[in-house]
Amino acid sequence: GLAPDVTFEILSEETWEKQVYEKPRMYAALGVQEHFAYDPREPFISHDTARRLFGWRLDAQRQQMVKIIPNAEGWMWSEQLESWLVPDGIHLRLYDKEQRLRLTGEEVQTLEASSWARQAQALAEKLRSLGINPDEVV
């Protein structure tokens, strides 16, 4: 079958060296376009660097993975996801090109629920201002 465009791995104490130094070559051979490895732990597992996010992009001409250099804030741009990957404690967050947070499905549902609750509250207050008890409306 076809290789995925992007792969992610969570670094572990036992395998982090393999995940950082060997896996990118393996994914390049498979044709993966981008590979990321993330360390959600404190302190970081990879003692030789003060980073928790590692990334590689396939150089199609050489058929090798090339390291993605993070920006000054430690963010990495994923061409495949069209997103910034941003370390956030135990989470790896995605931001769009304008650096707006991309929400998870659960976060969207929570925001929508709170929006509905605010709208219901505003409607109840409006009804009360008109002398109508919203608890008695069927």
Side-chain angles (χ1 to χ4, degrees):
L2 296 174
D5 292 331
V6 180
T7 56
F8 289 90
E9 295 207 29
I10 302 299
L11 297 176
S12 70
E13 185 74 44
E14 300 79 27
T15 63
W16 78 270
E17 289 183 84
K18 181 179 181 179
Q19 290 169 317
V20 170
Y21 298 111
E22 295 176 25
K23 290 278 185 104
R25 284 191 296 268
M26 180 190 81
Y27 287 122
L30 294 172
V32 171
Q33 298 300 303
E34 292 177 333
H35 173 62
F36 296 95
Y38 187 64
D39 181 357
R41 293 162 186 78
E42 287 286 347
F44 306 143
I45 293 171
S46 56
H47 308 290
D48 60 336
T49 127
R51 291 180 31 211
R52 64 177 5 149
L53 176 61
F54 301 85
W56 299 265
R57 185 169 293 118
L58 183 63
D59 178 329
Q61 290 181 332
R62 298 184 344 209
Q63 286 299 299
Q64 292 179 344
M65 288 290 196
V66 177
K67 288 181 183 179
I68 299 172
I69 307 301
N71 69 8
E73 292 83 27
W75 296 25
M76 283 188 185
W77 179 252
S78 167
E79 293 175 359
Q80 297 298 311
L81 299 175
E82 296 181 351
S83 295
W84 287 103
L85 280 66
V86 179
D88 184 15
I90 64 169
H91 302 287
L92 181 59
R93 303 301 305 247
L94 299 179
Y95 286 76
D96 67 15
K97 193 172 189 170
E98 288 77 33
Q99 299 186 352
R100 293 181 303 234
L101 178 64
R102 294 187 186 270
L103 301 176
T104 65
E106 184 177 307
E107 289 168 332
V108 169
Q109 288 177 344
T110 300
L111 282 175
E112 288 173 348
S114 64
S115 176
W116 280 105
R118 283 192 305 274
Q119 290 176 22
Q121 182 65 31
L123 179 58
E125 289 172 13
K126 179 66 175 174
L127 288 171
R128 284 188 189 94
S129 74
L130 296 171
I132 302 169
N133 183 348
D135 298 326
E136 296 174 356
V137 176
V138 179

